[in-house]
Amino acid sequence: MGRLDELRQFSLLKWLREERQSRKLILFIVFVALLLDNMLLTVVVPIIPSYLYNLDESTDVVLKNNTPSQQSPPGAFHNIVSLYDNTVRSLVSNTTAMSTELVPIVPTTTEVPQNSSDCPQSNSKLLNENVKVGMLFASKATIQLITNPFIGPLTNRIGYQLPIFAGFCIMFISTIMFAFSSSYTLLFLARSLQGVGSSCSSVAGMGMLASVYTDDEERGQAIGIALGGLALGVLVGPPFGSVMYEFVGKTAPFLILAFLALFDGALQLFVLQPTKVEPESQKGTPLLTLMKDPYILIAAGAICFGNMAIAMMEPTLPIWMMETMCARKWQLGVAFLPASISYLIGTNIFGTLAHKMGRWLCALIGIMVVGISVICVPFATNIYGLILPNFGVGFAIGMVDASMMPIMGYLVDLRHVSVYGSVYAIADVAFCMGFALGPSIGGSIAESIGFPWVMTIIGIVDIFFAPLCIFLRNPPGQEEKIAILMDSSCSMKIRSYSTTGTHYQGGDMEPEYDEYN
């Protein structure tokens, strides 16, 4: 048996070495990296609002219990809580006798809620949680927004392997911090640290895919599959987090994610070998030049406003459900399940279909459907009423992401130098702006004018933005680049990663080219 195990291990290692240069294996690594990043992103959605509310309630109970004992005058009645029989003993001291009387304890409104199936006892405190939760959720995207402009040009200089592995290391530290943090400050720090890791993983991952999948249709399919990892993380995160939090505890889901992250890190270490600096063969277009391109800005705006809708819902919907539906902990995460499932369906369908129907049209329809769906969310009176509008939101955002992410690479090929780190940094900045502005602005608006108005405002913004996607129908480009992209017989360079370094293969090298298909 030992011999058989050795042979199996040998064959697995041999297969990994042979497939190290495969585009499919690189796609799998990016898929898993995006999966873990977005599981950590969304697993906190049902946990944090309830956890912070209970934390604040327990703090208030301690303060209220301590205040009377400090200010009580001499000779006053003193309450002694017995932990054995849960009764209160009232002791009266006088000069003649001392009597002991047992008084049953009376539940008060300051007691820490043990079961969130009951309506929260303080609506004003619950509304105040909107801002705290919104700021915590937005911190990740804000830090990622700041980091992206540095990561994009960095990948052009040192390659994609080191940044994506650095992203794994940072993500692992952030996950462990989430597991054992018990204060708002530490949770805020863990969320912010995750933003740095996400920036490294997403920018380097998308850039790597764009560099190895040079054909526009193949690139669309590959990015659609990679976004499926993002969608799966968004799908699994909220219900996984809520169920584990309800029945096991806060620490458990984060420890499981940490073990999964170790698997991805080991795979990256073996396949990508992130110890080598492999810069791009040509100098990419400067980041500022790309940011001035109106067509790239329209594509980035579609990504931003499409995702801002779900970003506004993440901190505000659970609190609105606790306030209006008296929702249990597990329901806070399950409410996002229809959006997550439909996003997974949308990215996989439109990764290929968007290329045939026109990516501009796919994005236009998607943003319109997002706007209409979010306006319908506040009309739900129970968790079942959220199924249809949330399904529409997720499916439509899947349409937008599956069409706009590939078009960012196409616009660079068409109008600039085919180096992709900076343009996917812009795409990630747009994504992060949605998730930075969404929770922070949404939480403040929900506190002042209510959750229904939050959904109405972002819905109207999306509907008015949608027609701008028409400009992406036939973007102008350099004549020689148009000729290259339209010439199907032109041999495209395929980039591969191997132990001997980065090398390129042309169309005349048929045996090697077939190996990557």
Side-chain angles (χ1 to χ4, degrees):
M1 285 296 292
R3 187 93 176 183
L4 184 61
D5 291 339
E6 287 178 10
L7 288 172
R8 286 174 179 170
Q9 281 187 344
F10 176 75
S11 61
L12 177 63
L13 292 173
K14 184 179 178 182
W15 178 81
L16 282 173
R17 288 193 189 99
E18 290 175 353
E19 295 294 319
R20 182 177 287 169
Q21 300 177 20
S22 170
R23 294 188 296 175
K24 293 179 181 178
L25 196 55
I26 292 171
L27 176 58
F28 177 74
I29 289 172
V30 176
F31 177 92
V32 175
L34 292 178
L35 169 68
L36 292 173
D37 180 22
N38 286 275
M39 276 194 73
L40 183 59
L41 174 72
T42 57
V43 78
V44 301
V45 169
I47 296 175
I48 295 299
S50 177
Y51 180 76
L52 289 178
Y53 178 77
N54 290 338
L55 195 66
D56 290 343
E57 282 289 290
S58 61
T59 303
D60 289 345
V61 168
V62 172
L63 291 175
K64 288 181 180 180
N65 287 342
N66 289 341
T67 302
S69 63
Q70 293 173 356
Q71 298 178 351
S72 58
F77 290 92
H78 295 276
N79 291 335
I80 301 175
V81 179
S82 169
L83 299 178
Y84 178 73
D85 58 4
N86 289 327
T87 56
V88 176
R89 300 178 186 277
S90 297
L91 303 182
V92 184
S93 301
N94 53 46
T95 55
T96 57
M98 179 180 292
S99 61
T100 303
E101 182 180 0
L102 295 180
V103 182
I105 195 165
V106 180
T108 63
T109 57
T110 59
E111 194 174 280
V112 181
Q114 297 296 322
N115 190 348
S116 62
S117 63
D118 299 324
C119 285
Q121 298 163 352
S122 175
N123 284 333
S124 61
K125 288 181 183 178
L126 195 59
L127 290 175
N128 290 335
E129 292 295 326
N130 275 297
V131 178
K132 290 179 66 176
V133 174
M135 294 301 293
L136 190 144
F137 282 4
S139 63
K140 182 258 184 189
T142 304
I143 297 299
Q144 191 171 348
L145 184 66
I146 296 169
T147 310
N148 278 333
F150 301 99
I151 300 298
L154 183 66
T155 59
N156 297 340
R157 296 179 183 177
I158 67 173
Y160 302 110
Q161 299 97 312
L162 275 173
I164 197 171
F165 186 74
F168 147 73
C169 296
I170 297 170
M171 203 82 64
F172 179 76
I173 296 170
S174 173
T175 308
I176 296 297
M177 286 185 66
F178 266 118
F180 298 104
S181 296
S182 57
S183 68
Y184 181 83
T185 304
L186 289 176
L187 289 170
F188 191 92
L189 182 61
R191 184 74 167 181
S192 302
L193 191 63
Q194 186 195 353
V196 181
S198 297
S199 179
C200 296
S201 298
S202 55
V203 173
M206 287 297 179
M208 187 183 294
L209 288 182
S211 67
V212 297
Y213 287 92
T214 53
D215 179 72
D216 185 51
E217 186 173 1
E218 284 187 346
R219 181 185 295 161
Q221 293 174 356
I223 290 179
I225 293 171
L227 289 176
L230 186 153
L232 193 60
V234 173
L235 165 66
V236 176
F240 172 72
S242 59
V243 171
M244 293 293 288
Y245 179 49
E246 171 87 19
F247 300 107
V248 183
K250 181 181 81 75
T251 305
F254 298 109
L255 290 181
I256 293 173
L257 286 180
F259 282 113
L260 292 175
L262 285 176
F263 163 75
D264 184 50
L267 192 61
Q268 288 184 29
L269 195 61
F270 185 80
V271 175
L272 299 180
Q273 293 188 330
T275 55
K276 301 175 182 179
V277 174
E278 297 180 358
E280 292 282 353
S281 60
Q282 53 185 340
K283 186 178 180 181
T285 306
L287 184 66
L288 288 176
T289 304
L290 295 177
M291 291 179 68
K292 293 176 184 177
D293 189 320
Y295 298 94
I296 290 178
L297 289 179
I298 291 172
I303 295 171
C304 176
F305 289 112
N307 286 279
M308 191 180 289
I310 194 71
M312 282 188 169
M313 288 172 62
E314 282 187 353
T316 54
L317 181 61
I319 294 172
W320 180 72
M321 290 173 63
M322 291 167 67
E323 181 185 0
T324 60
M325 303 178 188
C326 304
R328 294 176 62 90
K329 292 176 184 176
W330 65 269
Q331 291 176 331
L332 302 180
V334 171
F336 290 93
L337 199 58
S340 305
I341 293 173
S342 60
Y343 184 84
L344 180 61
I345 296 170
T347 51
N348 280 276
I349 290 176
F350 290 97
T352 303
L353 187 60
H355 178 76
K356 297 177 180 178
M357 66 181 286
R359 292 194 174 109
W360 67 274
L361 181 61
C362 183
L364 190 151
I365 296 172
I367 296 177
M368 290 285 288
V369 174
V370 170
I372 295 168
S373 298
V374 295
I375 291 173
C376 296
V377 168
F379 291 102
T381 56
N382 54 47
I383 191 171
Y384 302 106
L386 293 171
I387 293 175
L388 190 59
N390 280 6
F391 187 92
V393 171
F395 189 79
I397 294 175
M399 292 176 67
V400 175
D401 288 353
S403 56
M404 289 296 99
M405 285 294 185
I407 214 172
M408 296 293 267
Y410 177 75
L411 288 171
V412 167
D413 288 337
L414 186 67
R415 298 169 57 81
H416 304 281
V417 181
S418 298
V419 175
Y420 307 100
S422 294
V423 76
Y424 281 107
I426 293 173
D428 207 45
V429 163
F431 185 82
C432 294
M433 281 188 70
F435 276 90
L437 297 177
S440 53
I441 294 175
S444 301
I445 296 175
E447 184 185 24
S448 56
I449 61 176
F451 174 77
W453 278 107
V454 175
M455 296 293 98
T456 303
I457 291 169
I458 186 59
I460 292 173
V461 169
D462 282 346
I463 291 171
F464 276 98
F465 181 86
L468 291 177
C469 294
I470 296 173
F471 290 103
L472 298 175
R473 182 176 183 179
N474 289 308
Q478 301 174 13
E479 291 184 6
E480 64 275 13
K481 289 216 165 200
I482 295 174
I484 291 173
L485 289 172
M486 296 302 293
D487 185 5
S488 59
S489 63
C490 175
S491 79
M492 302 293 289
K493 288 184 178 181
I494 304 292
R495 190 179 196 190
S496 62
Y497 296 89
S498 67
T499 55
T500 58
T502 304
H503 61 279
Y504 297 87
Q505 297 175 352
D508 56 334
M509 302 173 67
E510 294 181 0
E512 290 81 4
Y513 183 82
D514 291 337
E515 184 179 329
Y516 296 98
N517 291 330

